[in-house]
């Protein structure tokens, strides 16, 4: 299977973050030594999933010594998980669960959310008075960079952003990722 890299900053999609979802099957993507710290939370697509993701993020970042990142990271993770819940296949219980991964690597903390949908995330173009559609604008404002990877052979990932291959074992979907500068308080 292949993955198409797309999105803002997709050329900078760090292998240490995105390869963590397919670690056993990745070929030609170097994972630095020593391996970065990572933590994973599996979400079953419930109404409470965003809250569980926020709590998991706060606990993990506090344990890693990054309490100053908690507020921004909770907001970003909440947006990414909410988007996964909204835009994943209609019957999420039949598909694979949503997976949140946090990675602490040198000067960056990454968060990545994997879901079964191949729907490409795009910031809304609605006006300031719109009640929805600001989530990805917040993600862009609060992070160093963000992007997505389509996993699987269908879909071309949106064109001119560059392509890379990632092995997959789960039959499609996407990973939406974001990076924060790691700053200890």
């Amino acid at each position: 299977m292949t993955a198409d890299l797309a999105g803002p900053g997709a050329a900078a999609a760090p292998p240490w973050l995105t390869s963590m979802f397919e670690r056993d099957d990745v070929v030609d993507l170097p994972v630095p030594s020593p391996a970065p710290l990572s933590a994973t939370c599996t979400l079953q697509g419930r109404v409470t999933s965003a809250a569980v993701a926020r709590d998991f993020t706060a606990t993990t970042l506090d344990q890693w010594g990054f309490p100053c990142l908690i507020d921004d990271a909770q907001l970003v993770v909440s947006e990414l998980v909410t988007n996964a819940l909204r835009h994943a296949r209609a019957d999420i219980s039949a598909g694979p669960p949503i997976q949140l991964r946090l990675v602490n690597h040198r000067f960056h903390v990454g968060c990545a959310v994997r879901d079964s949908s191949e729907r490409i995330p795009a910031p809304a173009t609605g006006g300031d008075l719109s009640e929805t559609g600001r989530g990805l604008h917040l993600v862009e404002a609060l992070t160093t960079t963000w992007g997505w990877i389509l996993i699987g052979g269908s879909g071309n990932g949106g064109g001119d952003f560059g392509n890379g291959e990632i092995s997959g074992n789960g039959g499609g979907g996407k990973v939406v990722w974001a990076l924060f500068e790691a700053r200890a308080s």
Side-chain angles (χ1 to χ4, degrees):
M1 291 185 176
T2 62
D4 295 322
L5 300 180
W16 54 263
L17 176 61
T18 56
S19 67
M20 298 298 281
F21 284 94
E22 307 293 339
R23 181 177 294 181
D24 295 334
D25 298 315
V26 173
V27 179
D28 299 329
L29 287 179
V31 176
S33 183
L37 292 174
S38 68
T40 303
C41 178
T42 300
L43 305 163
Q44 297 301 323
R46 296 188 179 101
V47 175
T48 58
S49 291
V52 170
R54 286 190 301 272
D55 292 344
F56 173 79
T57 299
T59 300
T60 302
L61 292 178
D62 190 51
Q63 289 173 352
W64 288 348
F66 297 114
C68 63
L69 290 179
I70 290 174
D71 290 340
D72 288 351
Q74 282 184 309
L75 182 56
V76 167
V77 163
S78 185
E79 289 297 333
L80 297 182
V81 168
T82 299
N83 284 349
L85 290 168
R86 270 196 193 133
H87 303 296
R89 295 190 177 115
D91 186 5
I92 198 162
S93 62
I98 294 168
Q99 186 179 38
L100 165 64
R101 179 152 314 220
L102 300 174
V103 182
N104 175 359
H105 181 68
R106 296 183 186 154
F107 304 109
H108 292 96
V109 171
C111 67
V113 175
R114 181 179 183 171
D115 66 50
S116 61
S117 171
E118 291 185 359
R119 185 172 178 184
I120 295 172
T125 57
D128 291 339
L129 299 177
S130 178
E131 292 184 18
T132 61
R134 290 187 202 88
L136 291 177
H137 293 289
L138 289 172
V139 171
E140 188 168 333
L142 295 174
T143 62
T144 302
T145 189
W146 72 280
W148 64 90
I149 298 172
L150 291 178
I151 299 173
S154 62
N156 69 9
D160 299 324
F161 295 103
N163 290 323
E165 289 197 3
I166 248 181
S167 296
N169 59 9
K174 70 178 171 301
V175 175
V176 182
W177 56 270
L179 292 180
F180 297 91
E181 287 186 28
R183 5 176 252 282
S185 358

